[in-house]
Amino acid sequence: MVYSKTSAKEARWVLVVRQDSPIQTIEDLEGKRISTELVSFTKRYFAEKKINVHIEFSWGATEAKVVEGLVDAIVEVTETGTTIKANKLKIIHELMKTNTQLIANHDAWNDPWKRQKIEQIRTLLNGSLLAMGKVGLKLNVSKENLGRVVLLLPSLKAPTISTLFSEEWFAVETIVSNSVVRDLIPLLREAGAEGIIEYPLNKVI
Protein backbone atom coordinates (compact mmCIF):
# COMPACT_ATOMS: atom_id res chain seq x y z
CA MET A 1 0.00 0.00 0.00
CA VAL A 2 2.03 2.90 -1.31
CA TYR A 3 1.35 6.09 0.63
CA SER A 4 2.77 8.32 3.34
CA LYS A 5 1.35 10.90 5.70
CA THR A 6 1.81 13.74 3.26
CA SER A 7 1.76 12.11 -0.16
CA ALA A 8 0.88 9.09 -2.24
CA LYS A 9 4.53 8.13 -2.55
CA GLU A 10 6.78 5.70 -0.72
CA ALA A 11 8.65 6.87 2.36
CA ARG A 12 12.45 6.66 2.33
CA TRP A 13 15.06 5.64 4.91
CA VAL A 14 18.01 7.94 4.35
CA LEU A 15 21.45 8.64 5.73
CA VAL A 16 21.62 12.18 7.09
CA VAL A 17 24.46 14.43 8.30
CA ARG A 18 24.81 18.10 9.23
CA GLN A 19 25.04 20.52 6.34
CA ASP A 20 28.53 21.57 7.47
CA SER A 21 29.73 17.96 7.93
CA PRO A 22 32.84 16.89 6.01
CA ILE A 23 31.09 13.55 5.40
CA GLN A 24 30.02 13.49 1.76
CA THR A 25 29.54 9.79 0.93
CA ILE A 26 28.59 6.62 2.76
CA GLU A 27 32.23 5.49 2.63
CA ASP A 28 33.26 8.53 4.68
CA LEU A 29 31.43 7.01 7.66
CA GLU A 30 34.11 4.37 8.27
CA GLY A 31 34.64 4.24 12.05
CA LYS A 32 31.86 6.81 12.72
CA ARG A 33 28.77 6.71 14.97
CA ILE A 34 25.22 6.46 13.60
CA SER A 35 21.95 6.74 15.51
CA THR A 36 18.69 5.24 14.22
CA GLU A 37 15.46 3.48 15.16
CA LEU A 38 16.12 0.99 12.34
CA VAL A 39 19.08 -0.72 14.00
CA SER A 40 19.09 -4.27 12.57
CA PHE A 41 18.54 -3.21 8.96
CA THR A 42 21.18 -0.47 9.22
CA LYS A 43 23.73 -2.91 10.66
CA ARG A 44 23.10 -5.37 7.82
CA TYR A 45 23.27 -2.60 5.22
CA PHE A 46 26.67 -1.33 6.34
CA ALA A 47 28.00 -4.87 6.82
CA GLU A 48 27.09 -5.67 3.20
CA LYS A 49 28.95 -2.51 2.14
CA LYS A 50 31.91 -3.59 4.32
CA ILE A 51 31.89 -0.25 6.11
CA ASN A 52 32.74 -0.45 9.81
CA VAL A 53 30.44 1.83 11.83
CA HIS A 54 29.05 1.97 15.38
CA ILE A 55 25.25 1.92 15.29
CA GLU A 56 23.15 2.81 18.33
CA PHE A 57 19.40 2.76 18.90
CA SER A 58 17.65 6.12 19.03
CA TRP A 59 14.84 6.47 21.56
CA GLY A 60 13.43 9.44 19.69
CA ALA A 61 14.50 12.95 18.64
CA THR A 62 16.89 11.27 16.23
CA GLU A 63 17.55 14.40 14.19
CA ALA A 64 18.56 16.34 17.32
CA LYS A 65 21.39 13.89 18.00
CA VAL A 66 23.23 14.77 14.81
CA VAL A 67 22.34 18.46 15.11
CA GLU A 68 23.98 18.56 18.56
CA GLY A 69 26.98 16.55 17.39
CA LEU A 70 26.23 13.53 19.60
CA VAL A 71 26.63 11.25 16.57
CA ASP A 72 28.18 11.67 13.14
CA ALA A 73 25.09 10.68 11.19
CA ILE A 74 21.58 9.30 11.51
CA VAL A 75 19.42 6.93 9.49
CA GLU A 76 15.93 8.40 9.45
CA VAL A 77 12.64 7.96 7.62
CA THR A 78 11.45 10.86 5.48
CA GLU A 79 8.67 11.61 3.03
CA THR A 80 9.57 14.98 1.53
CA GLY A 81 12.87 15.85 3.22
CA THR A 82 11.42 19.17 4.40
CA THR A 83 12.05 18.57 8.12
CA ILE A 84 15.59 17.43 7.42
CA LYS A 85 16.37 20.64 5.53
CA ALA A 86 14.68 22.75 8.22
CA ASN A 87 17.09 21.30 10.80
CA LYS A 88 20.08 22.29 8.64
CA LEU A 89 20.78 18.66 7.73
CA LYS A 90 21.40 17.00 4.37
CA ILE A 91 20.75 13.59 2.86
CA ILE A 92 23.87 11.91 1.49
CA HIS A 93 22.51 8.42 0.77
CA GLU A 94 19.24 6.53 0.40
CA LEU A 95 19.15 3.09 2.04
CA MET A 96 15.70 1.98 0.90
CA LYS A 97 12.15 2.92 0.00
CA THR A 98 9.39 1.59 2.23
CA ASN A 99 5.63 1.22 2.22
CA THR A 100 2.90 -0.21 4.43
CA GLN A 101 1.87 -3.84 3.93
CA LEU A 102 -1.24 -5.72 5.05
CA ILE A 103 -0.07 -9.07 6.47
CA ALA A 104 -2.37 -12.01 7.23
CA ASN A 105 -1.73 -15.06 9.39
CA HIS A 106 -1.57 -18.26 7.27
CA ASP A 107 -4.22 -20.05 9.34
CA ALA A 108 -6.54 -17.04 9.20
CA TRP A 109 -6.06 -16.79 5.41
CA ASN A 110 -7.06 -20.45 5.02
CA ASP A 111 -10.25 -19.91 7.02
CA PRO A 112 -12.94 -18.84 4.46
CA TRP A 113 -14.80 -16.58 6.92
CA LYS A 114 -11.63 -14.83 8.13
CA ARG A 115 -10.27 -14.60 4.60
CA GLN A 116 -13.44 -12.79 3.51
CA LYS A 117 -12.97 -10.27 6.35
CA ILE A 118 -9.33 -9.74 5.40
CA GLU A 119 -10.32 -9.14 1.78
CA GLN A 120 -12.93 -6.62 2.95
CA ILE A 121 -10.31 -4.77 4.98
CA ARG A 122 -8.00 -4.71 1.96
CA THR A 123 -10.80 -3.35 -0.25
CA LEU A 124 -11.57 -0.52 2.19
CA LEU A 125 -7.91 0.38 2.70
CA ASN A 126 -7.21 0.42 -1.03
CA GLY A 127 -10.37 2.50 -1.53
CA SER A 128 -9.05 5.08 0.92
CA LEU A 129 -5.65 5.14 -0.79
CA LEU A 130 -7.21 5.54 -4.21
CA ALA A 131 -9.21 8.50 -2.92
CA MET A 132 -6.11 10.28 -1.63
CA GLY A 133 -5.32 13.32 -3.72
CA LYS A 134 -8.61 13.18 -5.61
CA VAL A 135 -11.83 15.19 -5.45
CA GLY A 136 -15.28 14.84 -6.95
CA LEU A 137 -16.73 17.42 -9.34
CA LYS A 138 -20.40 18.03 -10.13
CA LEU A 139 -21.61 20.58 -12.63
CA ASN A 140 -24.47 21.49 -14.95
CA VAL A 141 -24.02 22.22 -18.64
CA SER A 142 -26.26 22.93 -21.59
CA LYS A 143 -26.59 20.51 -24.49
CA GLU A 144 -24.82 23.05 -26.68
CA ASN A 145 -21.71 23.10 -24.49
CA LEU A 146 -21.69 19.46 -23.31
CA GLY A 147 -19.08 18.29 -25.80
CA ARG A 148 -16.65 21.08 -24.91
CA VAL A 149 -16.97 20.37 -21.19
CA VAL A 150 -16.58 16.58 -21.49
CA LEU A 151 -13.37 17.00 -23.48
CA LEU A 152 -11.85 18.88 -20.54
CA LEU A 153 -12.73 16.25 -17.94
CA PRO A 154 -10.31 13.51 -16.89
CA SER A 155 -11.90 10.60 -15.00
CA LEU A 156 -11.27 7.03 -13.87
CA LYS A 157 -13.30 5.72 -16.80
CA ALA A 158 -15.69 8.33 -18.22
CA PRO A 159 -17.74 11.12 -16.61
CA THR A 160 -21.27 10.33 -15.49
CA ILE A 161 -23.82 12.31 -17.52
CA SER A 162 -27.54 12.50 -16.78
CA THR A 163 -30.32 14.67 -18.13
CA LEU A 164 -31.97 17.35 -16.02
CA PHE A 165 -35.68 18.19 -15.99
CA SER A 166 -35.00 20.35 -18.99
CA GLU A 167 -33.85 18.20 -21.89
CA GLU A 168 -31.51 20.98 -22.95
CA TRP A 169 -29.37 20.66 -19.79
CA PHE A 170 -27.22 17.89 -18.31
CA ALA A 171 -25.67 17.08 -14.95
CA VAL A 172 -22.06 15.88 -15.16
CA GLU A 173 -20.10 14.17 -12.38
CA THR A 174 -16.50 12.95 -12.36
CA ILE A 175 -13.41 12.35 -10.21
CA VAL A 176 -10.25 14.34 -10.82
CA SER A 177 -6.83 14.76 -9.25
CA ASN A 178 -6.58 17.47 -6.61
CA SER A 179 -3.47 18.74 -8.40
CA VAL A 180 -5.41 19.78 -11.52
CA VAL A 181 -8.77 20.90 -10.13
CA ARG A 182 -7.63 24.47 -9.45
CA ASP A 183 -6.74 25.01 -13.09
CA LEU A 184 -9.61 22.90 -14.39
CA ILE A 185 -12.54 24.76 -12.80
CA PRO A 186 -11.90 28.09 -14.60
CA LEU A 187 -11.61 26.20 -17.90
CA LEU A 188 -14.90 24.43 -17.26
CA ARG A 189 -16.54 27.76 -16.47
CA GLU A 190 -15.26 29.23 -19.73
CA ALA A 191 -16.55 26.16 -21.59
CA GLY A 192 -20.08 26.79 -20.32
CA ALA A 193 -20.29 24.77 -17.08
CA GLU A 194 -22.48 26.16 -14.30
CA GLY A 195 -23.21 25.25 -10.68
CA ILE A 196 -19.78 23.63 -10.25
CA ILE A 197 -19.37 21.77 -6.94
CA GLU A 198 -16.07 20.35 -5.67
CA TYR A 199 -16.25 17.83 -2.82
CA PRO A 200 -13.73 15.64 -0.94
CA LEU A 201 -13.61 11.84 -1.27
CA ASN A 202 -13.19 9.29 1.50
CA LYS A 203 -13.01 6.15 -0.63
CA VAL A 204 -12.97 5.17 -4.31
CA ILE A 205 -13.84 1.49 -4.81
Side-chain angles (χ1 to χ4, degrees):
M1 299 180 182
V2 179
Y3 78 101
S4 61
K5 290 185 291 185
T6 59
S7 72
K9 298 180 181 179
E10 295 171 309
R12 301 180 296 148
W13 284 93
V14 293
L15 186 63
V16 177
V17 298
R18 288 170 50 154
Q19 285 184 354
D20 60 356
S21 172
I23 298 170
Q24 300 295 323
T25 68
I26 189 172
E27 289 77 15
D28 294 338
L29 282 163
E30 177 71 32
K32 304 295 186 182
R33 297 176 63 199
I34 299 173
S35 182
T36 183
E37 295 179 1
L38 198 68
V39 173
S40 295
F41 174 83
T42 303
K43 285 182 177 179
R44 290 198 305 270
Y45 190 88
F46 277 89
E48 290 171 0
K49 299 288 185 182
K50 295 181 171 53
I51 301 172
N52 182 37
V53 293
H54 174 73
I55 298 170
E56 60 186 51
F57 178 71
S58 173
W59 294 92
T62 306
E63 290 166 341
K65 292 178 175 63
V66 71
V67 170
E68 297 299 325
L70 301 177
V71 294
D72 300 290
I74 60 172
V75 171
E76 180 69 316
V77 66
T78 184
E79 297 171 18
T80 64
T82 303
T83 303
I84 290 172
K85 292 177 182 177
N87 283 295
K88 294 185 167 67
L89 304 174
K90 63 181 178 181
I91 297 170
I92 64 168
H93 188 77
E94 180 180 294
L95 281 72
M96 71 169 174
K97 290 184 171 68
T98 182
N99 60 275
T100 302
Q101 296 187 14
L102 176 63
I103 299 173
N105 176 279
H106 284 290
D107 293 336
W109 187 249
N110 291 328
D111 181 314
W113 184 85
K114 292 181 179 179
R115 181 168 183 157
Q116 181 185 31
K117 298 301 179 184
I118 294 168
E119 292 281 12
Q120 290 172 352
I121 291 170
R122 180 173 66 176
T123 296
L124 294 174
L125 289 172
N126 282 330
S128 295
L129 293 180
L130 189 56
M132 288 177 63
K134 294 183 175 63
V135 296
L137 277 184
K138 290 183 177 181
L139 56 91
N140 294 332
V141 61
S142 67
K143 184 176 181 180
E144 178 186 358
N145 295 320
L146 179 61
R148 297 170 58 199
V149 165
V150 169
L151 286 175
L152 292 171
L153 290 176
S155 64
L156 293 178
K157 292 187 181 295
T160 300
I161 301 173
S162 55
T163 56
L164 297 178
F165 182 76
S166 169
E167 293 183 358
E168 295 300 314
W169 282 81
F170 294 86
V172 179
E173 188 167 358
T174 191
I175 295 172
V176 300
S177 171
N178 194 43
S179 63
V180 304
V181 71
R182 183 183 62 181
D183 297 324
L184 180 60
I185 288 178
L187 295 175
L188 291 171
R189 190 74 182 89
E190 292 173 4
E194 298 182 10
I196 301 172
I197 299 173
E198 175 189 340
Y199 55 93
L201 300 173
N202 293 324
K203 293 179 181 64
V204 177
I205 297 173

Short mmCIF file of all heavy atoms in Angstrom, two decimals, residues 5 78 139 168:
data_model
loop_
_atom_site.label_atom_id
_atom_site.label_comp_id
_atom_site.label_asym_id
_atom_site.label_seq_id
_atom_site.Cartn_x
_atom_site.Cartn_y
_atom_site.Cartn_z
N LYS A 5 2.24 9.95 5.02
CA LYS A 5 1.35 10.90 5.70
C LYS A 5 1.06 12.14 4.87
O LYS A 5 0.02 12.76 5.02
CB LYS A 5 1.93 11.30 7.06
CG LYS A 5 1.91 10.19 8.09
CD LYS A 5 2.40 10.67 9.43
CE LYS A 5 3.89 10.99 9.41
NZ LYS A 5 4.41 11.36 10.74
N THR A 78 11.92 9.56 5.95
CA THR A 78 11.45 10.86 5.48
C THR A 78 10.48 10.67 4.31
O THR A 78 10.54 9.66 3.61
CB THR A 78 12.63 11.75 5.04
OG1 THR A 78 12.13 13.06 4.69
CG2 THR A 78 13.36 11.17 3.84
N LEU A 139 -21.33 19.33 -11.93
CA LEU A 139 -21.61 20.58 -12.63
C LEU A 139 -22.81 20.39 -13.56
O LEU A 139 -23.19 19.25 -13.88
CB LEU A 139 -20.38 21.02 -13.44
CG LEU A 139 -19.82 20.02 -14.46
CD1 LEU A 139 -20.45 20.22 -15.84
CD2 LEU A 139 -18.31 20.14 -14.54
N GLU A 168 -32.61 20.21 -22.37
CA GLU A 168 -31.51 20.98 -22.95
C GLU A 168 -30.33 21.11 -21.99
O GLU A 168 -29.32 21.71 -22.35
CB GLU A 168 -32.01 22.38 -23.35
CG GLU A 168 -33.07 22.36 -24.45
CD GLU A 168 -32.55 21.74 -25.73
OE1 GLU A 168 -31.43 22.09 -26.14
OE2 GLU A 168 -33.27 20.90 -26.31
#
